[in-house]
Amino acid sequence: MNSIISTRFLNLYYNEFHALKGITMDIQPNTVAALIGPSGCGKSTFLRLFNRMNDLIDGVKITGDVLVNGKDIYADVLDVVELRRTVGMVFQKPNPFPKSIFENVAYGMRVNGITDNQYIAEKVEESLRQAALWDEVKDKLKKSAFEISGGQQQRLCIARALAIEPKILLMDEPASALDPISSAKIEELIWELKKDYTIMIVTHNLQQAGRVSDTTAFFYLGELVEYGDTKEIFTQPKDKKTQNYITGRFG
């Protein structure tokens, strides 16, 4: 099966600091890949490679290959706006826009030049349904996104990412700021969404990684220590460092 996401001998530097070291990894379509490891080990930096969010940081240098659908996304000819349509991002803290619930989801379509109001309305409903939020907000679409709970805001941000029809969803600790019930809803949602999307999730919650992911990558000090089937990583890790992290001996 062809990978939808690949890196080959990837290195990333912040000026002199070597943040990611020689990472080679493949992710298959319609799977959930969890990135785990102690704080500061490179997980979020690795995640942000795939929609070129690291471009916004001064002094970043990248060597090696980063491929999405077989294309080198750091090639000079690449359209970054088009890439970000293919690769959606959901952040740690819910970050709705100061607009109505409806306009939060419609925003990406309007920015991309879609003006057909019927299409926009249908897509807003579809995206909110996909994010398991429609039934909770269908009677308050004109209300401010700030009037709903944090867990609902995070699902709204997921709906906003889905509305522009990405192929890949990057999630940087999407449930860490939420209460346990809201976190469980996000986890159920991730499991549902992988039917249509490929998902990469950074999480500090090992139980969550175990529940939602097909594959798990353990990062430590900028290196990919171990990557494989989640059940195997959690029950029979090959590397002592992975075992120590999973059993709580460090990190």
Side-chain angles (χ1 to χ4, degrees), residues 126-169:
E126 180 191 322
S127 302
L128 287 167
R129 283 188 186 280
Q130 277 188 294
L133 189 59
W134 174 253
D135 289 341
E136 295 167 46
V137 301
K138 63 185 179 192
D139 299 324
K140 39 187 169 188
L141 295 175
K142 292 187 175 151
K143 292 201 155 147
S144 164
F146 297 132
E147 291 184 31
I148 56 178
S149 73
Q152 289 173 320
Q153 286 181 13
Q154 190 64 305
R155 280 181 284 146
L156 179 64
C157 293
I158 292 170
R160 186 175 72 198
L162 297 178
I164 55 170
E165 301 185 340
K167 300 283 185 291
I168 296 163
L169 269 181

Side-chain angles (χ1 to χ4, degrees), residues 3-6 29 67-73 86 167-168:
S3 308
I4 187 167
I5 295 171
S6 301
L67 308 173
V68 171
N69 281 325
K71 286 187 187 147
D72 176 2
I73 64 167
T86 303
K167 300 283 185 291
I168 296 163

Side-chain angles (χ1 to χ4, degrees), residues 188-206:
E188 282 170 32
L189 181 54
I190 289 168
W191 200 250
E192 277 296 304
L193 289 173
K194 77 170 182 174
K195 293 173 190 161
D196 300 306
Y197 306 92
T198 304
I199 298 170
M200 285 176 77
I201 175 171
V202 168
T203 180
H204 275 109
N205 183 329
L206 295 183

Side-chain angles (χ1 to χ4, degrees), residues 58-77:
D58 288 340
V60 166
K61 189 179 98 180
I62 291 167
T63 65
D65 297 321
V66 184
L67 308 173
V68 171
N69 281 325
K71 286 187 187 147
D72 176 2
I73 64 167
Y74 284 83
D76 292 342
V77 294

